[in-house]
Amino acid sequence: RKEVEQDPGPFNVPEGATVAFNCTYSNSASQSFFWYRQDCRKEPKLLMSVYSSGNEDGRFTAQLNRASQYISLLIRDSKLSDSATYLCVVGGYSGAGSYQLTFGKGTKLSVIP
Amino acid sequence: EAQVTQNPRYLITVTGKKLTVTCSQNMNHEYMSWYRQDPGLGLRQIYYSMNVEVTDKGDVPEGYKVSRKEKRNFPLILESPSPNQTSLYFCASSLSPDSTNYGYTFGSGTRLTVV
């Protein structure tokens, strides 16, 4: 069974702090990796795709370690507006040949004034 | 505006009364999918569709039906809802299932309560 594991948190951090989320996945054949953000009672929204070379978007940096099957998200200079649940998402083909996204249960972040 | 539209946003119904949750996208996406989200379980795929008239089961299809007669619409049908189908439902679409650059676009969700 494909699994994506995340620390559920909550992470309570002060404004301006740097916070890191980690995620592990069990399917070594996984092909695509994402971080989604979900605000309370709202739909998930793509935050960033994660590439093997690592990628950065402003205050957000995502890294992928295929050998360890590990994905990370680093948020620098946290803002109050960063408060949300962050979903680690992994995509790949199942044994039946269909492509599927597997979602982690999410890590809740609260940024405190 | 590019979007996925779900209706209704909230629905309370009684056990056994057939209902349909609609989903429509205006991005000409081929791939569409339904998920349910429950506390402590994360998002789980119910059904997906690769294109018109092509649908398949996800991880939790029992008690649900779907159809894809047009590219833009992908309704979720509960023929005889039961209380264990009380959940938050999301429809999503994408150019292709393995779209690595753009991910999936989700609808705003439908909160269903079955009493």
Side-chain angles (χ1 to χ4, degrees):
Chain A
R1 176 177 171 78
K2 301 184 292 293
E3 297 280 352
V4 176
E5 301 288 342
Q6 295 180 250
D7 183 339
F11 283 53
N12 299 315
V13 302
E15 271 187 291
T18 296
V19 60
F21 303 140
N22 302 317
C23 166
T24 58
Y25 60 95
S26 61
N27 183 3
S28 59
S30 297
Q31 298 181 321
S32 56
F33 310 88
F34 309 91
W35 284 101
Y36 277 75
R37 171 195 169 125
Q38 186 174 24
D39 293 292
C40 188
R41 298 177 183 271
K42 298 212 171 162
E43 73 273 23
K45 292 185 178 177
L46 180 66
L47 179 65
M48 53 200 309
S49 302
V50 188
Y51 303 111
S52 296
S53 54
N55 44 303
E56 186 173 311
D57 183 2
R59 298 181 292 108
F60 299 85
T61 300
Q63 292 195 312
L64 167 65
N65 183 323
R66 283 186 183 269
S68 302
Q69 295 178 206
Y70 170 96
I71 307 162
S72 65
L73 176 67
L74 184 76
I75 306 175
R76 292 180 297 278
D77 188 22
S78 299
K79 311 291 185 191
L80 295 176
S81 58
D82 294 334
S83 297
T85 296
Y86 290 83
L87 307 178
C88 178
V89 184
V90 174
Y93 286 92
S94 70
S98 63
Y99 186 91
Q100 189 175 37
L101 292 186
T102 302
F103 289 79
K105 296 174 185 176
T107 299
K108 186 173 182 180
L109 171 66
S110 293
V111 181
I112 302 162
Chain B
E1 180 188 352
Q3 60 186 1
V4 176
T5 304
Q6 282 179 240
N7 279 297
R9 290 291 307 276
Y10 301 92
L11 179 60
I12 300 174
T13 190
V14 296
T15 299
K17 186 177 181 182
K18 181 179 177 180
L19 67 92
T20 299
V21 184
T22 63
C23 174
S24 180
Q25 50 93 5
N26 62 359
M27 296 167 281
N28 202 34
H29 284 170
E30 292 191 346
Y31 183 82
M32 297 185 75
S33 182
W34 276 102
Y35 295 87
R36 61 178 288 174
Q37 187 174 33
D38 302 288
L41 293 179
L43 279 109
R44 294 179 292 167
Q45 189 179 49
I46 303 170
Y47 267 94
Y48 65 94
S49 170
M50 299 289 285
N51 213 326
V52 175
E53 302 291 3
V54 182
T55 63
D56 209 344
K57 296 177 181 178
D59 293 322
V60 288
E62 295 78 21
Y64 305 95
K65 285 175 57 177
V66 293
S67 69
R68 188 94 180 271
K69 293 184 169 55
E70 307 163 280
K71 199 171 190 178
R72 63 182 294 125
N73 295 325
F74 189 45
L76 179 70
I77 303 154
L78 284 72
E79 294 270 4
S80 182
S82 62
N84 65 10
Q85 293 179 297
T86 292
S87 187
L88 178 58
Y89 291 86
F90 289 105
C91 180
S93 76
S94 180
L95 275 170
S96 65
D98 56 354
S99 178
T100 55
N101 289 332
Y102 302 107
Y104 291 16
T105 301
F106 284 83
S108 300
T110 296
R111 187 166 291 278
L112 171 67
T113 302
V114 184
V115 298

